[in-house]
């Protein structure tokens, strides 16, 4: 896995931990929670943590150890030392004590005690590992242990140590308190100023002046008081180690003046080190709600000045900026609004970040993905960034209205910002979190770049002709020849066009591959942009060629069968091929418009997609029987870029119902998976003895949350053992009546359905439509395509499982007629009032005898479409089984089954079904006038898509020959 | 229906979690209860069990832990069981239901000026030393446990016997001696035969790659068990992921020797492989399967066979990983690393194919 573990941001860490929990299960997660306490892990220490704290898993215990050591957020740093990513460790630590709410001593403190005992034993016994490195490791862990045992004592001792180091002048050559900051950052969260002080001192002694200034400057000029220890003022330390050569003397003087103003307005007390404890703040603005992003080393002064001003208005805790970029949590999760401080050097290249975005732009990216309101704040006369200067993912940022803070009108400008913020926080009821994604972004037409070799110009012309139609619809950017022209002319213009395109179409031919220009400059550039910005690259094979190009091999080529366009003899056939390609492009262009300028979908490969709006989804399921399904849903949602409430996978023993109800109130969408168990929830306030699921569902309904409901269909093998609980039946029927429900059998099916359901929801949110309870079956033609490529590939166009479902619903009338025909043709003894069922069964269905009885539950929900006769019908086998519960019928009857399954393309299903009919002797082979061809035409299936056998069968009805 | 004996649940729980006590210990405790020791309160029962059953510090810690984690019965239950008065109960509670003490904050606070700096060789800079409070009353397990205890490992390895007479004639053959005397009719020299010796030959190859890190401490156990197992002949080698032509003499994968040389040195042996076969990281690597296939055929040529493979990851975790494919290779039989798995592996090595795990 190519994850840069050290650089994981909180969201990535969150997702990795969720995935880990889902994949490795509870005991591994519990062990990981404990293993987060020491800053660095050793396998032996991990083993003892398991024995002491998670020992209940006797057999697979050491597997849990392996899981933690090889977890995606754990890094092997050599010599038998392992380390969690900082943000993953913080996330785990935040959840450690709440996971064990009933203990008299907090779990973290107990681990601290254990660590103390272990360190004591290790430092006394000179084991085989004991070397200098190990001794130092134990010293650092000693601090971790103390931090978790007694944070106040740790802070006092640390401060004392710093005081000694400072007092000793040059004699203590260097004291590495900095390395302790990482170990202590979580337990000493309250002492953020002390930690910043320690890290700043470390940086200063190491000669990293910029970082020292970033850390120490905001701490002000007062001495720090920790417990009984008084530390020199941070400004003193700066002067002593770094000097005061700030950019210009004048600004330094100004900054000093401002600082003293700020100091005058604040209470000038050394006790401010406990800032979170002592300072009053207005409850109207939650802690951490205002988050300031700035470039470290560039705009620290202005940030501190602005931040202090806002703290004066909204309270100390409300305003957060990131002092220690790598070591303190990015409080982004709590942020309601992000202010981006932009100085003149905001976009200057940053050597330290390498190929990645600089840290402040990464923060901005996270904020934009979170879809919280963002305000650019211009300082020192900086101008707003131009879209072309920004990476593609940040471009919408340039469209936002900026507030300029001018030195001469600082107070007034800040006041206007405060006004704006006050308005935000008085009106905010969750809605503004979405403001940026919908209204503030500017729609930009989809722009296409065509790369081709000169010899292939005629293919380019054909493509342009085909694109003309969707160009007139305004779906794609208009162009003239100069813009779209590729080939070997006009390099600069080509570069320009290439750098802004959303889609690059490569017309691949021997000439294309032979062209040095294309290979050396265009192609690598496009591939790079594809990886970094997610643009699409679509290779179209126009003439056959014999060798491979590494870049192209990674992409899916068109036409999908890999046949070159030139090999298609007739113009007609070529037009057909182009039409398919252009339809695909039109789909992307629509998706691009729908997502309003955010990163275009990348459906060609399976990388994580970023939705325009990041939804917070509460997933509810009964843990006893649906854990696997629930984990799959959580995982799928994370892959789609949405967040789920963490408690869904957290092995918490806290009263889950209350917590869940709170979560539901704060989520955007409520997803419910219902299986076959119905256990009454807690008796308190629950006179009807409803299950937790049902209580949660009622809550979501009260709050008017959009609901996604997934119902488990029974495994036919297990039918007999299902308890027929009337309350469960009632609940399932109610769900089906009130909501659009999705049925599933296997995890894989559920995943496909979740993708589809969420896509619909995204579309609803993006269209700013109220999310209707029953999406109209007459779905709009321009829905974004799903990425279930397998189905699309087989079907020739993009079709999801639910769309299949819709197709069936839409065609109820035809289906009714069809059933009538089928009944007539097969002479089934069907009477009025008989059920037909639409079922969706999973893999391996053919092994089970089919049982009618349980499907009666589903007939109800499906019958709400007035004209529908839900049909099932299913069959890869063509075997007529006799329903075991047939006793109440007068006589057993054969039935026919068609499998409608998201894992099968409808073409396959129809083929199987026709072949089945062909084999079935009970169908009159000599025909009559019961033609089947209308049915396939309605499904949009072309004659050549039918298998030979199926075609023969259809054509055996002489009155209506097909094709 | 029989009423369970007092303490039976506790005893069984301890036995199942590997606590080394026997029925005899259980009977002792019952006798103790009958004589009136350990009755009425949990603390006294704890004292009784500790007195009779605990043989080391570690065992005491485990027993303490068990008693601490055991949910305390409600007052009503206690009253119903003991019939004691409410007052007496109250007294006992205050005396015995002691909450764990709060963390002692005093020493760190009061410590004041004395800061100890530890100069460490690793980085050449000084690190302040945190002074930790004295360990409070909770005791912890500080000795790592092996997946299979050393004793079990030795016992299991001793199953691998192939007794044959060989070497110098040192043992008296009574039958032959008697027969000889009867034949000659006079006292004759006793007839001697060679002693029976265990001729089982075993090579153990241990994966020392990073994915085996969680089980590293087990290596030393394996080495010691081999020495004490009374095998006719044994050797221990290491490899990293897959032995490709060479085996190493140390677990730091140093001192390589080609398999051909090793084969010359040791001759025909059975082969026991200890490796996670890719299950620990949970990935599938087709090349590794191919390479392992190569190794299996090398080993068969050596000639080392049969081959038993012991995997420290549980069976359920092989699925979908390289281990699943390796386990399916011809000539490879894979077992879990626990007592049952090892017994089956050794049985396979000594030729009892009937107990193969599937």
């Amino acid at each position: 896995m190519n994850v840069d573990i050290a650089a994981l941001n909180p969201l990535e860490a969150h997702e990795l931990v969720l995935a880990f929990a889902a994949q490795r299960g509870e005991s591994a997660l519990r062990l990981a929670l404990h293993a987060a306490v020491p800053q660095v892990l050793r396998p032996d220490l991990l083993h003892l943590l398991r024995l002491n704290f998670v020992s209940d898993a006797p057999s697979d215990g050491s597997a849990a150890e392996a899981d933690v050591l090889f977890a995606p957020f754990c890094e092997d740093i050599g010599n038998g030392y392992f380390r969690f990513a900082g943000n993953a460790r913080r996330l785990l630590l935040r959840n450690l004590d709440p996971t064990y709410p009933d203990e008299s001593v907090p779990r973290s403190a107990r681990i601290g005690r254990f660590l103390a005992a272990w360190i004591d034993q290790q430092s006394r016994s000179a084991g085989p590992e004991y070397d200098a490195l190990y001794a130092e490791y134990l010293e650092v862990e000693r601090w971790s242990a103390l931090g978790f045992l007694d944070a106040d004592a740790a802070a006092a001792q640390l401060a004392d140590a710093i005081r000694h180091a400072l007092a000793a002048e040059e004699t203590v050559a260097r004291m590495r308190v900095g390395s302790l900051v990482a170990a202590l950052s979580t337990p000493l969260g309250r002492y953020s100023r002390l930690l910043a002080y320690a890290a700043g001192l470390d940086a200063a002694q190491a000669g990293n002046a910029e970082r020292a200034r970033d850390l120490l400057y905001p701490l002000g000029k007062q001495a720090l008081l920790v417990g009984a220890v008084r530390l020199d003022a941070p400004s003193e330390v700066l002067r002593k180690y770094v000097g005061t050569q700030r950019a210009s003397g004048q600004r330094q003087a100004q900054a000093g003046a401002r600082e003293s103003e700020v100091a005058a307005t604040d209470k000038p007390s050394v006790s401010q080190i406990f800032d979170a404890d002592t300072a009053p703040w207005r409850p109207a603005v939650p802690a951490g709600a205002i988050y300031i992003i700035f470039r470290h080393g560039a705009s620290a002064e202005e940030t501190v000045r602005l931040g202090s001003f806002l703290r004066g208005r909204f309270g100390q805790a409300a305003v957060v900026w990131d002092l220690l970029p790598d070591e303190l949590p990015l409080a982004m999760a709590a942020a309601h609004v992000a202010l981006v401080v932009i100085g003149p050097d905001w976009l200057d290249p940053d050597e330290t970040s390498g190929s990645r975005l600089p840290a402040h732009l990464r923060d901005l990216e996270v904020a934009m993905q979170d879809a919280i309101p963002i305000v650019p704040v211009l300082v020192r006369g900086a101008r707003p960034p131009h879209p072309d200067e920004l990476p593609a993912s940040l471009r919408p940022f340039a469209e936002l209205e900026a507030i300029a803070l001018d030195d001469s009108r600082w107070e007034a400008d800040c006041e206007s910002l405060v006004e704006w913020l006050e308005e935000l926080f008085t009106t905010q009821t969750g809605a503004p979190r979405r403001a940026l994604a919908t209204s503030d972004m500017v729609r930009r037409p989809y722009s296409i770049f065509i790369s081709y070799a000169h010899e292939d110009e005629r293919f380019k012309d054909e493509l342009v002709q085909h694109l003309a139609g969707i160009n007139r619809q305004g779906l794609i950017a208009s162009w003239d020849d100069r813009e779209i022209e590729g080939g070997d002319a006009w390099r600069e213009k080509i570069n320009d066009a290439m750098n802004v395109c959303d889609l690059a179409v490569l017309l691949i031919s021997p000439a294309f591959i032979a062209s040095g220009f294309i290979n050396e400059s265009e192609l690598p550039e496009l591939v790079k942009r594809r990886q970094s910005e997610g643009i699409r690259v679509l290779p179209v094979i126009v003439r056959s060629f014999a060798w491979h190009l590494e870049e192209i091999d990674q992409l899916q080529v068109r036409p999908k069968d890999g046949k070159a366009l030139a090999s298609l003899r007739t113009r007609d056939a070529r037009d057909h091929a182009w039409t398919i390609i252009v339809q695909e492009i039109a789909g992307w262009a629509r998706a691009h418009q729908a997502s309003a300028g955010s990163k275009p979908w990348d459906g060609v490969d399976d990388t994580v997609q970023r939705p325009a709006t990041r939804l917070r989804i509460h997933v509810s399921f009964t843990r006893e029987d649906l854990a696997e399904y629930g984990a799959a849903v959580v995982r799928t949602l994370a892959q789609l870029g949405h967040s789920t409430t963490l408690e869904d996978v957290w092995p918490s023993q806290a009263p889950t119902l209350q917590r869940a109800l709170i979560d539901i109130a704060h989520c955007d969408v409520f997803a419910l998976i219902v299986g076959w168990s119905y256990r009454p929830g807690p008796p308190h306030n629950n006179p009807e003895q409803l299950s937790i699921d049902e209580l949660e569902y009622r809550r979501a309904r009260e709050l008017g949350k959009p609901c996604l409901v997934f119902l488990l269909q029974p495994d036919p093998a297990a039918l007999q053992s299902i308890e027929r609980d009337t309350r469960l039946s009632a609940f399932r029927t109610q769900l089906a009546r009130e909501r659009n429900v999705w049925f599933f059998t296997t995890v894989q099916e559920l995943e496909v359905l979740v993708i589809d359901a969420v896509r619909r929801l995204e579309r609803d949110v993006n269209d700013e439509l109220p999310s209707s309870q029953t999406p109209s079956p007459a779905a709009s033609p321009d829905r974004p395509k799903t990425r279930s490529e397998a189905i699309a590939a087989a079907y020739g166009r993009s079709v999801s499982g639910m769309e299949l479902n819709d197709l069936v619903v839409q065609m109820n009338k035809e289906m009714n007629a069809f059933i009538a025909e089928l009944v007539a043709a097969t002479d089934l003894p069907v009477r009025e009032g008989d059920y037909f069922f639409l079922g969706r069964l999973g893999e391996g269905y053919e092994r089970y005898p089919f049982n009618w009885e349980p499907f009666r539950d589903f007939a109800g929900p499906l019958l709400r479409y007035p004209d529908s006769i839900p049909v099932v019908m299913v069959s890869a086998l063509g075997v007529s089984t006799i329903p075991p519960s047939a006793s109440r019928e007068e006589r057993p009857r054969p039935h026919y089954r068609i499998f409608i399954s998201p894992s099968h393309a409808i073409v396959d299903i129809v083929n199987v079904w026709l072949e089945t009919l062909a084999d079935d002797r009970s169908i009159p082979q000599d025909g009559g006038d019961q033609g089947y061809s209308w049915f396939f035409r309605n499904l949009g299936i072309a004659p050549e898509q039918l298998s030979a056998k199926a075609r023969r069968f259809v054509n055996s009805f002489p009155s209506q020959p097909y094709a | 229906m029989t009423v369970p004996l007092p303490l039976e649940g506790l005893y069984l729980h301890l036995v199942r979690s590997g606590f080394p006590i026997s029925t005899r210990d259980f009977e002792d405790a019952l006798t103790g209860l009958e004589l009136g020791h350990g009755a009425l309160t949990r603390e006294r029962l704890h004292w009784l069990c500790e007195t009779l059953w605990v043989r080391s510090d570690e065992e005491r810690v485990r027993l303490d832990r068990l008693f601490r984690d055991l949910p305390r019965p409600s007052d009503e239950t206690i009253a119903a069981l003991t019939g004691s008065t409410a007052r007496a109960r109250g007294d006992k509670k205050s005396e015995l239901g002691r909450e764990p003490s709060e963390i002692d904050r005093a020493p760190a606070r009061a410590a004041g000026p004395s800061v100890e700096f530890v100069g460490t060789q690793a980085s050449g800079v000084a690190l302040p030393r945190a002074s930790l409070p004295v360990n409070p009353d909770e005791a912890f397990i500080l000795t790592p446990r092996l997946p299979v205890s050393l004793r079990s490992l030795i016992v299991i390895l001793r199953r691998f016997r192939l007794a044959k007479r060989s070497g110098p004639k040192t043992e008296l053959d009574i039958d032959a001696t008697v027969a000889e005397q009867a034949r000659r009719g006079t006292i004759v020299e006793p007839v001697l035969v060679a002693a029976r010796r265990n001729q089982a030959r075993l090579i153990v190859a241990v994966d020392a790659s990073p994915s085996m890190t969680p089980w590293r401490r087990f290596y030393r156990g394996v080495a010691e068990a081999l020495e004490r197992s009374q095998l006719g002949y044994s050797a221990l080698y290491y490899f990293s992921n897959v032995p490709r032509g060479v085996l190493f003499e140390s677990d730091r994968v140093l001192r390589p020797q080609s398999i051909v040389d090793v084969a010359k040195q040791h001759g025909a042996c059975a082969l026991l492989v200890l490796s996670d076969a890719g299950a620990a990281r949970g990935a599938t690597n087709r090349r590794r399967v191919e390479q392992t296939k190569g190794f299996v055929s090398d080993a068969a040529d050596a000639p080392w066979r049969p081959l038993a493979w012991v995997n420290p990851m549980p069976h359920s975790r092989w699925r979908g990983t390289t281990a699943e494919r390796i386990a399916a290779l011809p000539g490879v039989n894979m077992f879990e690393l626990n007592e049952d798995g090892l017994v089956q592996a050794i049985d396979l090595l000594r030729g009892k194919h009937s107990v193969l795990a599937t």
Side-chain angles (χ1 to χ4, degrees), chain A residues 1-17:
Chain A
M1 195 178 291
N2 297 322
V3 180
D4 183 0
I5 288 175
L8 285 180
N9 71 28
L11 283 176
E12 290 161 342
H14 180 103
E15 279 163 10
L16 285 182
V17 172

Side-chain angles (χ1 to χ4, degrees), chain A residues 323-358:
Chain A
L323 288 175
L324 300 165
D326 305 322
E327 287 143 14
L328 282 186
L330 284 170
M332 197 67 86
H336 288 53
V337 55
L339 309 180
V340 185
V341 176
I342 301 176
D345 41 9
W346 191 63
L347 277 173
D348 288 355
D350 182 357
E351 292 85 16
T352 55
S353 55
S355 61
R356 288 171 63 91
L357 282 176

Side-chain angles (χ1 to χ4, degrees), chain B residues 6-60:
Chain B
L7 285 181
E8 189 177 321
L10 176 65
Y11 167 73
L12 288 177
H13 180 91
L14 286 173
V15 168
R16 263 185 239 119
S17 58
F19 206 86
I21 48 175
S22 65
T23 323
R24 173 70 189 277
D25 295 307
F26 179 51
E27 285 170 359
D28 287 350
L30 286 182
T31 314
L33 272 179
E34 273 169 26
L35 295 174
H37 303 288
L40 289 180
T41 72
R42 169 190 291 240
E43 284 70 22
R44 289 179 63 186
L45 182 64
H46 185 176
W47 169 83
L48 177 74
C49 295
E50 192 170 306
T51 311
L52 291 177
W53 293 350
V54 164
R55 294 178 177 84
S56 73
D57 277 357
E58 175 146 348
E59 285 168 24
R60 196 185 64 247

Side-chain angles (χ1 to χ4, degrees), chain B residues 86-152:
Chain B
R87 181 177 301 171
R89 213 163 57 228
D91 290 349
K92 283 205 186 82
K93 229 178 147 186
S94 64
E95 175 199 342
L96 300 161
R98 185 162 52 100
E99 291 298 311
S101 66
E102 285 302 306
I103 305 157
D104 182 11
R105 294 176 179 221
R109 283 271 168 74
S114 63
V115 175
E116 194 183 346
F117 283 88
V118 193
T120 59
Q121 293 170 354
S123 58
V125 292
L127 204 61
R129 165 166 284 183
S131 83
L132 285 168
V134 184
N135 197 20
D137 43 12
E138 185 171 355
F140 296 99
I141 303 169
L142 295 173
T143 325
R145 239 180 267 161
L146 298 178
V148 176
S149 73
L150 183 61
R151 186 172 173 279
S152 310

